[in-house]
Amino acid sequence: MSHKRLYYQLIPVVLLLIALAVWLQPDLFQRAAGINLPKGVNPEFKQTLKIDKPCVDLHPEWRLAQNIDGVKISESRLCEPDNPYDVAAFVLGMNNISMPTLMSTNIAEDALIKSDDLDSDGDPDIIHIKLEVLELNGATPDSANVAPQYEIAPGILPGMWAFSPKLRGMSVKNFRSVKLNAILRAPSPVIRIEQGDKVYITLENTHYFPHTIHFHGVDHAFKTSKGGDNDGVPVTGEKAVMPGKTRTYELQPRHAGTMLYHCHVQTDKHLMMGLVGMFVVEENRPNNWVQTFNVGAGHVRYSSVAIKEKYQREYDLHYQSIDKNLAKTIQHSNDIREISKNMHRVYNMSESNENYFLLNGHSFPYTLRDALIIAKPDENIKLRVANTQHSSIAIHIHGHKATITDYDGVEQNPAAQITRDVFHLAAAQRLDLKLQTTNDGLHSYGEGVWLFHDHVETAVANDGMSPGGNIALMVYENMLGATGLPMIRPDALDDFFTNRYYAKKQALWGKKEAGTFSPNSLQLILFALLLGTIVGLIIFIVRGLKGAK
Amino acid sequence: MKAFTLFLVFISTPLFAAMNHGGMIMDETGMIMNHNPDILPKDCPKISKDIDITIRAGQQYSKDFAGKMFTYDKRDWQVPGCARVNVTFINDDDIRHQFMIHGLPGYMYPKGMFTIEIYGKGQKTASFIVPSRDYTYYIHCEVSQHTEKGMKAQLKVGKSSGDLNSILGLTAALTPDIYPINNTQITWLSMLISFILGIVFILYVGNFLRLKLGK
Ligand SMILES: [Cu+2]
Ligand SMILES: [Cu+2]
C-alpha cells in the first residue's frame, strides 16, 4: 500500500518535468536571429559546374570575306559567323554550286533550286524551296536529357521547333554527340526572294504533328494555280499537312518588303514553339541573286542589289519568346498522343507567361556569339526587325537614334519618316530601320560597345535571371576583338557563361546567401534526455502501480 | 558661479548665432546641427568631464557582421552625466553619413537632436553637453535604410536606461529574421540516443530504488 502511494507521489514530479520540458523546448527547425546572424553560405549547386568560353571559335576561317563559286561573301567578324559555303549555296541554289561547296554544307541537293531567267535580267526567276520541321530539345526514350540539344543560353534548353532548309546527313555533330550542327537551330530561317520571282515553297512535314505554312504579308493568291490550298489555314483551306506528307505553296510577290511566314495549325502554340520566320521580298534589280536563306537570322553576308545601293551592312533581327511551360510539353513523353494532349489541351495559353526572350535564336550571353551588330563610323546599316513574341517589344539601341523607313514591309513616305530611339513593335509587326553611324550627336554618339535590347524589362532576363533575354551589342570595329567578342572589362562576362548563374545558384556581387543556423547540440541532447527521463518515469510509475498490491 | 554661467549663455548665444542658421553650421562638405560646447543643461551646475570620442562611419566597418552593409566602427559609448562630449566624426565612405543623436533636452537642442553630417570622405568635430539623468541615447545615420542595415549606436549616460535593440554585435533585433536550422542525421541520432539514455537511466534508478524498497 505504501508503495502505491509512493508511485502516486511521483505523478506531480512527472508533471513538473513536462512543464520544464515545455519551457526548455529548443528550436527544432528554425530559429530567430539573436545578436549574430548566420555566417552565410554559397548556394548549393548539385549539377557539375560547367564554364563555357565566351567564344569557342570553331571556324575562324569562316569570318573572312571570300569568293565561293563566284559569290562574293562579305566578312563577318562574329564569334560564330554563318558558314560561307551555306551562304554561297543559298545565293546560287543547290543546282548551281560546285561539289566542294556542296560537301561543305549539310543541305539536301533538292533544298533550293534556282532556274529560268524569265525576264533575261541576269538572275534566276523560278525558285523551288523545300522546308522541313526541326524539333530542338525534345524528349528521348534513351536518356533523361533532351535531344537533340540546342542551348539558347548556358544551361537553358527549352523545347522548340523551327522550320529549316531541307537538310541531309546527321543532324548532330557526330555519332557520339547530342549537339546540333550549326545549321540546325532557332529561329526559323529568314527566307529571301526577289520581287517578281515565281517561288514554289514545299513544306516537307518531317515532324510528328500536322503543320502548314501561312505567308503573312507576302503577296500570294488564295489558291495555287492547281486550286490547292495556298493560305495555310486549315479552317479555310485544305487540312493540315500530315506527318510524312508534303504540300507546295506558290508565290509571285509583286510588292517588296519585310514580311513573315508561320505555321497556322494550333497557331498559338505552334507559332510560339518557333514555327515562324521572317520573309523578305527584295526589290527587283538586274543581276540580283539574293541569299534565299539566312539561317539563324542576323548578319546578311550577301545583300541584294537594292540594299547594297543604300547600305553598307544588313542585319535581320528576329525577336522571339518562349513560355517554359509550353516548352516542357514536348520534353516529358515520347508518346505523341501524350505530347499532343499536354501541348494542345492541358497547356492553356491564356494562362501563359513568357519566360525566355531570344534574339536570333539565342538569349544573352549567347547573343554575343552571333547577334552583334558590327559597325564602323559613317555607315548606313539596314536593320530588319520582326517581333514574333506575344508581347510587344520596345527596342532601344544605346548611343543611337535610327530612322524607321518601312512599317510591315511598306515604305513610309520619306518626308514623314521618324527618327527615334525606342522602336515599338506589337506582335507580328516588322520595322525596317536605317541606322546611321554618323557621330553627330543625333544619329550616333560615336564609337563604342553599345547595348541594344528590348526595353520591356521582362525580356532582358532568362526566366527572370538578369542579364539575359534579348540583350545584344552594337560593337564598333575598333572595339571588336579577334574572336568577335567586344573589348570589354576582362571579368565582365565571367559570371554568365556558367550553368550555375541561370540556374539561380550564384549569389550576386560576391556576397553569400544567409543560409542556416547550425543546431544547438547541447540543448537538443539535454532536451532529449529530459524527454527520455519523463517517458522512463511514466513507464516506471505504470509498471509500479500494476505490480503493487 | 550661476552668474558666470548666465554670462556665458548671454555672450555665447549671439556670437554663435552669427555663424549659423537655426543652430546649423553648413559648408560644402557637411553640416553640424546644435553644436553646443558651453551651454549647460539646467540640471548641471558644471561640466563634469570633457570626453573626446572619435567615431568612424563606413561600409568597411560592417565586414564582420554578416548580412549588414553600413555601420560605425564602435557602437556603444559611455559617459558620465553632465559630460561635454566632443565628437570627431569621420566618414570613410564616398557617400553621405550622419552621426545623429536623439533625446537631448529640447529647450537647448531644437528637436532634441545633435547631428554631424558629412557629405563624403572627411571629418568634423563638434560638441554637446548631456544632462545629468541616467539615460541611453539613440545614435544613428538617417540616410535611407542605413540605420536598418547596421548604422546604429548608443550613448549611455551614467547608469543608463539599458541597451537599445539591434545594435550590431551587442543586441538582437526587436523583429528578428527567422532562419532554418541545418539539422543533420547526427542531430536526430544524438537526440534519439539521448532520449533512450534518459529512459534507461530512470528505469535503472527506479529498479535500484524498488529493490531497496522491496528489502
Ligand atoms: Cu504547326
Ligand atoms: Cu549613413
Side-chain angles (χ1 to χ4, degrees), chain B residues 70 96-98 141 143 146 151:
Chain B
F70 298 108
R96 183 164 66 96
H97 286 301
Q98 301 165 339
C141 170
V143 175
H146 283 204
M151 204 169 259

Side-chain angles (χ1 to χ4, degrees), chain A residues 276-309:
Chain A
V276 55
M278 297 170 71
F279 196 108
V280 177
V281 182
E282 297 284 358
E283 286 173 32
N284 192 9
R285 292 285 191 284
N287 288 311
N288 195 14
W289 294 69
V290 301
Q291 183 187 325
T292 305
F293 287 111
N294 185 13
V295 172
H299 185 208
V300 184
R301 292 191 76 172
Y302 192 86
S303 287
S304 71
V305 173
I307 294 303
K308 282 178 191 151
E309 286 166 2

Side-chain angles (χ1 to χ4, degrees), chain B residues 26-81:
Chain B
M26 297 176 70
D27 63 24
E28 70 285 359
T29 65
M31 172 271 280
I32 295 169
M33 198 174 122
N34 299 336
H35 170 57
N36 172 29
D38 41 27
I39 305 170
L40 288 167
K42 284 179 196 157
D43 52 340
C44 292
K46 66 183 182 66
I47 289 166
S48 66
K49 203 173 174 192
D50 238 327
I51 294 185
D52 297 331
I53 68 174
T54 300
I55 181 162
R56 308 183 81 106
Q59 195 275 321
Q60 57 184 291
Y61 303 110
S62 71
K63 264 206 318 280
D64 297 334
F65 301 98
K68 298 296 168 189
M69 189 48 73
F70 298 108
T71 193
Y72 303 113
D73 62 338
K74 192 162 175 262
R75 292 161 296 276
D76 190 20
W77 305 87
Q78 173 79 52
V79 298

Side-chain angles (χ1 to χ4, degrees), chain A residues 412-447:
Chain A
Q412 174 77 346
N413 175 356
Q417 287 179 1
I418 291 169
T419 301
R420 63 185 311 180
D421 60 25
V422 177
F423 304 98
H424 177 261
L425 286 90
Q429 287 185 338
R430 286 89 59 212
L431 289 180
D432 289 15
L433 304 180
K434 180 179 177 183
L435 175 62
Q436 290 168 270
T437 55
T438 320
N439 182 0
D440 58 5
L442 169 67
H443 299 94
S444 168
Y445 310 156
E447 289 166 287

